[in-house]
Amino acid sequence: MDTVTCTDVHGVTSSEPEAPHAGSWRGSVSAMKKLINTVDNVVTDALRGMAAAHPHELDVDLDQHIVYRRQPKEKGKVAIISGGGSGHEPLHGGFVGTGMLDAACAGQIFTSPVPDQMVAATSTVDRGAGVLHIVKNYTGDVMNFEMAAEIVDAESGIQVASVVTNDDVAVEDSLYTAGRRGVGVTVIVEKIAGAAAEQGRPLDEVAGIAARVNAAGRSMGMALTSCTVPANGKPSFDLPDDEMEIGIGIHGEPGRHREKVAPAAEIAERLVSPLLAELPDAAGPDEGVIAMVNGMGATPLLELYLMYGEIARLLQGSGITVARNLVGNYITSLDMAGCSLTLVRADTELLSLWDAPVNTPGLRWGV
């Protein structure tokens, strides 16, 4: 039987057998109900669907699992790519388009893309002004993007800059990282850096703006349930019905502590307090914060808006102005129920770039 080789978030390479035929499931159907064909083809089938849904906006390489914007940037402008394991949709493929990413590399579920994907994406999107890699701080992602940048430099001489996001205040180190995990701020980095690139700013300036956003952002997440990874069909961790996880990551891992389920107002306080304790000052004239209340995949908008109301009340009580906000699913963990909060201290320049036009499947305004 043929095998599929992949690199996990630790950078470890492993192989697993392919499904014997298109109609088979690996795992018990009774243990897992998902809208899929086969476990092994989940990512390819999803990318095929994305291509069908956005034929005028996206080009999708199904062989290499890369999503490209259909209309390339003008020559002389910086291009931006990102990527990571699948299961976090719309991150990253849903943020490919005008004003954000030029390409996104999709790994297998919760698994880093391999360097060949980043090399191909970097070489394809370069418009002569260099390419920025936006990388979430997970061991496999960081290692594979670094390898890709080295290969690109050796083979083509394309100038590559990298910014690693590390905004999660829940843990300093984890099974997946050295240092803080890169989570929700990645969306905001991609938007603001994407706007700077569209304006024609040089690579060092676009990378500097991306680094500023990351430094100004902090995130924290919580979960009411774990998630179900298609490869094994089981919950990623056991969580009793009357308990919740505080400080979860985006790969189905548990949080930093567990406690009894509480009302939304109390959960909001659990998220806001640690973020405010670590939120830095603005680099320029302080305009308040960009606040993103993000669903983890299985939380209805009714609950997310309710949570935003509680969070906005707490921020106002702490003297924090919400200059801009997002409420919805932007960086998910498959079918996990829960939410995360990201706050980015914003100055006048960052807000101007945030407000710039964007046209992607996952974010769209000003166009």
Side-chain angles (χ1 to χ4, degrees):
M1 185 179 293
D2 294 335
T3 61
V4 176
T5 301
C6 60
T7 304
D8 70 11
V9 289
H10 304 287
V12 177
T13 300
S14 61
S15 297
E16 59 179 350
E18 289 185 341
H21 58 81
S24 71
W25 284 66
R26 181 178 302 140
S28 168
V29 174
S30 62
M32 178 180 69
K33 293 182 179 179
K34 288 188 175 292
L35 298 173
I36 65 176
N37 294 314
T38 68
V39 168
D40 295 298
N41 292 328
V42 168
V43 176
T44 302
D45 288 349
L47 291 174
R48 183 178 291 110
M50 179 175 282
H54 305 284
H56 304 297
E57 294 84 17
L58 303 177
D59 279 330
V60 180
D61 183 334
L62 293 177
D63 292 327
Q64 297 199 72
H65 288 183
I66 303 172
V67 179
Y68 294 102
R69 54 185 285 181
R70 190 169 185 82
Q71 183 62 45
K73 272 198 180 91
E74 299 171 13
K75 288 188 176 180
K77 289 188 176 182
V78 169
I80 302 177
I81 76 166
S82 191
S86 298
H88 308 303
E89 289 72 25
L91 196 84
H92 290 274
F95 298 130
V96 172
T98 304
M100 288 190 79
L101 299 177
D102 295 88
C105 303
Q108 295 299 322
I109 300 295
F110 295 167
T111 302
S112 171
V114 297
D116 285 352
Q117 291 174 269
M118 290 83 140
V119 170
T122 302
S123 301
T124 300
V125 302
D126 177 54
R127 305 299 289 161
V131 180
L132 174 64
H133 290 177
I134 297 175
V135 188
K136 301 185 300 303
N137 188 32
Y138 293 96
T139 305
D141 291 54
V142 172
M143 179 184 70
N144 289 337
F145 267 99
E146 285 179 350
M147 291 176 60
E150 292 173 0
I151 293 169
V152 167
D153 180 64
E155 292 184 349
S156 62
I158 294 171
Q159 188 178 5
V160 175
S162 297
V163 171
V164 177
T165 61
N166 58 350
D167 51 306
D168 188 356
V169 305
V171 292
E172 280 296 327
D173 296 286
S174 73
L175 292 174
Y176 300 97
T177 63
R180 292 189 311 221
R181 299 174 293 204
V183 286
V185 81
T186 311
V187 177
I188 300 173
V189 170
E190 291 177 357
K191 169 62 188 81
I192 291 177
E198 292 287 356
Q199 292 178 355
R201 302 193 192 193
L203 180 60
D204 59 348
E205 189 173 341
V206 175
I209 286 170
R212 274 174 54 198
V213 176
N214 176 64
R218 298 291 186 270
S219 297
M220 181 84 159
M222 60 78 56
L224 300 173
T225 70
S226 61
C227 65
T228 305
V229 179
N232 58 37
K234 298 177 181 178
S236 56
F237 59 88
D238 293 324
L239 185 61
D241 290 341
D242 63 342
E243 294 183 345
M244 61 182 179
E245 288 279 340
I246 304 295
I248 50 94
I250 59 171
H251 294 98
E253 69 267 41
R256 67 181 183 183
H257 73 273
R258 183 173 295 185
E259 58 186 81
K260 295 296 182 182
V261 174
E266 295 181 23
I267 296 173
E269 194 277 332
R270 304 281 201 285
L271 300 180
V272 170
S273 292
L275 266 62
L276 293 185
E278 294 201 26
L279 195 66
D281 294 331
D286 189 354
E287 298 287 349
V289 298
I290 300 170
M292 180 174 77
V293 174
N294 168 68
M296 300 308 297
T299 303
L301 273 173
L302 182 146
E303 295 175 29
L304 294 179
Y305 278 119
L306 192 156
M307 281 296 296
Y308 179 80
E310 297 294 344
I311 287 165
R313 175 182 57 80
L314 291 170
L315 292 175
Q316 183 179 24
S318 299
I320 303 294
T321 299
V322 178
R324 304 289 187 274
N325 68 72
L326 285 177
V327 181
N329 288 304
Y330 299 101
I331 175 169
T332 59
S333 184
L334 290 173
D335 56 347
M336 180 179 281
C339 69
S340 64
L341 172 63
T342 298
L343 300 178
V344 174
R345 185 79 75 170
D347 57 34
T348 305
E349 181 185 23
L350 296 188
L351 283 186
S352 175
L353 292 167
W354 178 260
D355 291 339
V358 58
N359 187 13
T360 72
L363 279 186
R364 181 178 290 108
W365 59 71
V367 292

